[in-house]
């Protein structure tokens, strides 16, 4: 749960700065957010969460 909230905050900040620097348009940001929202309700959500968890657990061992 804590990792998920942190990743949401991280991706939210990335989207914010991309919008601010005009590297990403509002339509593309809306599409990316919508894609993430709908992807979370599919069967792909669990493998994505496991991959993110594995990467996060591997970082301190580098």
């Amino acid at each position: 749960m804590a990792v998920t909230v942190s990743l949401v905050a991280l991706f939210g900040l990335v989207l914010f700065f991309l919008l601010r620097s005009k590297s990403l348009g509002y339509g593309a940001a809306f599409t990316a957010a919508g894609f993430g929202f709908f992807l979370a309700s599919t069967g792909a959500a669990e493998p994505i969460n496991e991959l993110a968890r594995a990467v996060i657990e591997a970082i301190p061992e580098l």
Side-chain angles (χ1 to χ4, degrees), residues 5-49:
V5 173
S6 299
L7 288 176
V8 168
L10 174 68
F11 287 128
L13 281 173
V14 169
L15 276 175
F16 171 77
F17 285 116
L18 286 173
L19 283 170
R20 186 170 169 96
S21 68
K22 301 205 189 304
S23 298
L24 183 71
Y26 289 106
F30 180 75
T31 303
F35 175 73
F37 177 78
F38 288 113
L39 183 64
S41 65
T42 67
E46 187 60 32
I48 292 170
N49 285 335

